[in-house]
Amino acid sequence: MSFLPATPSDLEAAGLSPGDLDAIIVTGDAYVDHSSFGVALIGRILEAAGYRVGIIARPDPDDVEAFRLLGRPRLAFLVSSGAVDSMVSSYTANRKPRSGDDYAPGGDPSLCLRSDGSIGKGKLGRPNARPERAVIAYSGMCRQAYKGPALVLGGLEASLRRLSHYDYWSDKVRRSILLDAKADILVYGMGEIQILEIMARLAAARGDSGFSGAADLRGAPGLPDLGGIRGTARAAKDPSGALLLPSFEEISSSDEASRRRYAESFAIQHANTDPHSGKRLAEPCAGRFVIQEPPAFPLDSGALDRIYALPYERKPHPMYSAWKGVPALSEVKFSLLSSRGCFGACSFCALAFHQGRIVSSRSRKAILEEARLLSGLEDFKGYIHDVGGPTANFRGPACAKMARSGACTDRRCLSPSPCPNLEPDHTDYLALLRELRELPGVKKVFVRSGLRYDYAMLDKDGRFLEELVEHHISGQLKVAPEHVSDKVLALMGKPPRASYEAFAAKYALLNRKLSLKQYLVPYFISAHPGSGLAEAVELAEYLRDYGFVPDQVQDFYPTPGTLATAMWHSGVDPLSGKPVYSAKGARERALQRALLHYKAPGNADMVREALVLAGRTDLIGSGPLCLVPAAGQSGGRRESPHSRRKGGH
């Protein structure tokens, strides 16, 4: 095995010269050759199909020579911002610059690949070498570096910005990233099927002799027709029989009518995210149309098995050895991906727009083979850190109808109440965990990726939860109730508060039964659409009553491709048309966050301010139910009868 060429010396070692590569992948992440990193996965798939592929990882965005390190690709530049949206990578939910980057060498965001092939600070010495709106920035540099190769966009940033989208950082609606990047085609979703079809068409049109010699093949006969490929978007002069969306011009103004049209557009997109029922969509923009083809069908078990069995090195490229690798790998190196897709359909999650709601899984045999491979690695200590996917305990479609003809367009599987057709079943996942526990050299198998507790509670068998508690928890189980207000939970697409409380009671009961001392750590979101100060106070009172001090708190982050972001921008729920309140001001967001940490002395003034504004001055003082003392008073509230140790529930 060897790494895909990422430096001139790699080319030489492979017996290749600059210009010999069929495709060059440009990414904002450091190059880690592991199947959890999309760039490595796409690269290995293309390599297995016979293409010569190189990777320009985290290039200096200010030096075009860094984009010429591997020469001119014969067929295409494939451009991605990396594993996360570049704006999310660069800024917190409160628009503050981040100080680190787990996908950079040693976590240092200032480091990049320079034009001499070394790693260091770039030409302009940026504190963050991953540029803002990296897909657009990298695309421009690729075009500047070489005229002729096709320009293909992919990855999460491109996928979720494929049509007009609200951009939190500029506080406006931006048009499709395809147009801003001046790309030939955009791949959305997971991309394996699409990229093979695109490359096959490019190769067939241009043949083995390379390019035609034209200065720029965009729109010229040398560039083949790339239309009709599921899971892609492209620009066109006519809508080609597609379902017409409101135009960019109609939805991009700041007035209420425009925001409502934005919500209407999102609702149409949301209803067309399933490959079985999704239609071709067309969005007018400045006299052209962005055509979105229907989603690609998810890969079946056999295809997933083959992809994850490709010859990954499972480590960062040696060029990062001076920085002790890339931090993001530590989270996944000894983990096993079990499934893709999620029918949970949480409003704040973009999975429905990216992976889709149909869950597909790798076979148990293939996962066990990978576990045996992990157990043979030099630094394996006997612990498999995780077995899961977007939701750990989803191993297949939610029901027979989803397996046969796709997800319903008019309802969710679990919220606001479980669908009568839902078939909760942990049999296959439980069998997988049992087999993994029995492997030689494996001491412990943990489940750390998201667990849908309401789905687990619906399984009347009960064995899964008991074995989870007995064998697969590392001291604490993290789950995501997200809030306690049923009003907010309904907008989130989460189950009611009673569902979480029932699970917490069951978890505590199982720990007592097994004589274990393991904690339940809930994750909460502050200032989600629908949450005003009254709902934030309700959450604070819940924390008071259970004596819980939350570590896992996230301010709501409006990111492209989520239903919650559409609510945030438009002021309505796109699925119902009903108004939704959002705390948009920095001060109210800070007040809601302070309420979740009401015990922190530094938050006392903000907590008092929030309680006054919420009309809850009864919670200010020294009484047993008070959240904060009056100004000038000391604390001293008694413990609630429900109190537990931190994380104890």
Side-chain angles (χ1 to χ4, degrees):
M1 293 192 295
S2 62
F3 288 89
L4 296 170
T7 64
S9 59
D10 289 345
L11 276 181
E12 184 178 355
L16 299 172
S17 300
D20 285 348
L21 297 173
D22 297 308
I24 294 175
I25 304 174
V26 179
T27 174
D29 292 342
Y31 173 29
V32 179
D33 197 52
H34 188 281
S35 58
S36 292
F37 294 76
V39 163
L41 186 142
I42 292 295
R44 291 299 184 185
I45 288 170
L46 291 174
E47 178 189 50
Y51 297 100
R52 290 171 293 188
V53 185
I55 296 177
I56 296 179
R58 205 174 174 86
D60 182 349
D62 303 306
D63 191 348
V64 70
E65 293 303 320
F67 292 77
R68 292 175 175 150
L69 273 173
L70 304 181
R72 168 175 159 162
R74 293 182 57 252
L75 300 177
F77 276 114
L78 314 179
V79 177
S80 167
S81 71
V84 294
D85 187 290
S86 58
M87 299 304 289
V88 175
S89 171
S90 298
Y91 296 99
T92 68
N94 292 309
R95 300 188 177 97
K96 304 294 184 184
R98 297 190 192 274
S99 58
D101 185 343
D102 284 347
Y103 292 90
D108 185 342
S110 70
L111 298 178
C112 62
L113 178 66
R114 298 188 292 203
S115 58
D116 61 359
S118 66
I119 303 298
K121 293 187 182 297
K123 196 173 183 179
L124 300 184
R126 294 181 186 223
N128 191 338
R130 190 199 307 262
E132 295 182 7
R133 314 189 194 287
V135 167
I136 298 172
Y138 290 155
S139 295
M141 295 301 274
C142 289
R143 290 292 196 202
Q144 187 178 335
Y146 296 108
K147 304 296 183 186
L151 184 59
V152 182
L153 309 185
L156 193 70
E157 181 169 310
S159 183
L160 300 182
R161 295 173 180 266
R162 58 189 183 260
L163 295 170
S164 296
H165 53 279
Y166 172 71
D167 182 82
Y168 173 63
W169 304 271
S170 61
D171 192 26
K172 67 180 183 180
V173 174
R174 293 180 63 97
R175 65 180 186 169
S176 167
I177 198 172
L178 174 79
L179 302 178
D180 284 339
K182 298 181 175 61
D184 295 301
I185 192 167
L186 179 152
V187 172
Y188 73 88
M190 298 307 288
E192 297 96 345
I193 299 171
Q194 301 94 303
I195 198 61
L196 287 171
E197 177 64 21
I198 290 167
M199 291 292 289
R201 292 193 192 185
L202 292 173
R206 296 174 179 178
D208 293 336
S209 60
F211 294 101
S212 65
D216 188 345
L217 295 179
R218 284 180 291 159
L223 188 66
D225 177 17
L226 297 175
I229 302 174
R230 280 180 169 266
T232 66
R234 59 193 170 81
K237 293 180 179 179
D238 64 78
S240 304
L243 178 61
L244 207 61
L245 295 170
S247 70
F248 168 72
E249 290 78 11
E250 288 180 271
I251 65 175
S252 57
S253 298
S254 58
D255 59 87
E256 182 178 352
S258 183
R259 292 198 304 272
R260 283 193 167 270
R261 288 291 278 163
Y262 180 92
E264 292 168 12
S265 178
F266 188 91
I268 297 170
Q269 295 172 49
H270 187 273
N272 286 277
T273 55
D274 186 85
H276 292 272
S277 59
K279 298 179 177 61
R280 178 184 290 112
L281 304 180
E283 182 180 66
C285 180
R288 289 186 293 171
F289 297 88
V290 176
I291 307 296
Q292 176 187 295
E293 300 291 347
F297 285 96
L299 298 179
D300 62 21
S301 180
L304 287 173
D305 287 351
R306 291 190 293 274
I307 286 171
Y308 286 91
L310 291 171
Y312 303 97
E313 289 284 341
R314 299 179 178 273
K315 54 189 175 184
H317 190 280
M319 65 176 131
Y320 310 123
S321 58
W323 289 272
K324 298 182 179 178
V326 179
L329 179 61
S330 63
E331 293 296 316
V332 297
K333 185 172 183 180
F334 297 113
S335 296
L336 298 165
L337 184 129
S338 165
S339 62
R340 284 183 178 179
C342 179
F343 52 78
C346 298
S347 300
F348 47 82
C349 177
L351 273 167
F353 267 66
H354 188 62
Q355 289 191 12
R357 290 171 58 193
I358 300 174
V359 176
S360 56
S361 299
R362 298 169 64 196
S363 71
R364 298 208 308 267
K365 178 182 178 183
I367 295 171
L368 288 165
E369 287 175 357
E370 185 178 1
R372 293 187 185 96
L373 187 155
L374 292 182
S375 68
L377 296 179
E378 184 179 1
D379 49 349
F380 182 70
K381 306 298 183 185
Y383 301 97
I384 293 176
H385 296 166
D386 191 21
V387 183
T391 299
N393 54 328
F394 291 173
R395 276 278 290 167
C399 64
K401 186 266 180 188
M402 181 180 282
R404 181 178 63 253
S405 55
C408 297
T409 61
D410 58 348
R411 69 156 297 147
R412 293 167 164 141
C413 300
L414 286 160
S415 175
S417 59
C419 175
N421 295 321
L422 183 69
E423 300 169 7
D425 184 4
H426 293 84
T427 305
D428 186 58
Y429 188 49
L430 190 54
L432 171 63
L433 294 174
R434 288 171 177 168
E435 290 174 292
L436 288 169
R437 295 200 305 258
E438 298 302 316
L439 289 178
V442 173
K443 299 176 183 177
K444 195 81 171 178
V445 179
F446 297 119
V447 175
R448 288 176 174 164
S449 55
L451 182 80
R452 192 74 191 220
Y453 57 83
D454 51 338
Y455 180 76
M457 291 288 284
L458 292 171
D459 191 339
K460 300 189 186 308
D461 184 282
R463 289 180 298 172
F464 169 68
L465 275 179
E466 184 157 353
E467 290 195 28
L468 177 77
V469 171
E470 184 174 6
H471 297 289
H472 301 291
I473 294 172
S474 178
Q476 59 184 27
L477 177 65
K478 295 181 180 180
V479 293
E482 311 293 5
H483 214 281
V484 299
S485 164
D486 285 347
K487 169 190 166 185
V488 178
L489 289 167
L491 289 168
M492 288 178 160
K494 300 289 286 187
R497 170 176 171 171
S499 177
Y500 173 68
E501 291 181 335
F503 172 75
K506 178 72 171 179
Y507 181 78
L509 178 66
L510 288 171
N511 274 280
R512 288 195 298 271
K513 175 183 175 181
L514 297 167
S515 300
L516 295 171
K517 196 174 184 180
Q518 299 176 137
Y519 301 116
L520 188 62
V521 180
Y523 184 98
F524 296 107
I525 293 179
S526 171
H528 187 278
S531 176
L533 285 175
E535 290 74 26
V537 171
E538 183 180 354
L539 179 50
E541 289 185 286
Y542 173 86
L543 298 174
R544 173 204 64 201
D545 291 345
Y546 284 90
F548 183 73
V549 181
D551 285 333
Q552 302 292 315
V553 175
Q554 168 68 52
D555 291 327
F556 173 67
Y557 204 158
T559 55
T562 74
L563 177 59
T565 297
M567 294 178 192
W568 165 278
H569 171 63
S570 68
V572 300
D573 178 354
L575 304 188
S576 69
K578 295 179 180 179
V580 176
Y581 172 79
S582 291
K584 293 187 176 181
R587 186 61 180 175
E588 185 179 345
R589 284 168 64 86
L591 293 177
Q592 290 205 30
R593 178 62 178 262
L595 282 165
L596 269 67
H597 292 286
Y598 67 88
K599 286 188 176 182
N603 286 342
D605 287 342
M606 284 196 294
V607 172
R608 280 189 286 267
E609 179 184 345
L611 293 173
V612 169
L613 290 171
R616 294 300 307 274
T617 54
D618 58 302
L619 298 178
I620 301 173
S622 56
L625 298 181
C626 289
L627 297 178
V628 65
Q633 288 184 343
S634 59
R637 297 178 304 279
R638 69 172 176 82
E639 289 294 316
S640 160
H642 295 292
S643 293
R644 301 286 187 271
R645 287 181 56 187
K646 180 180 177 181
H649 265 73

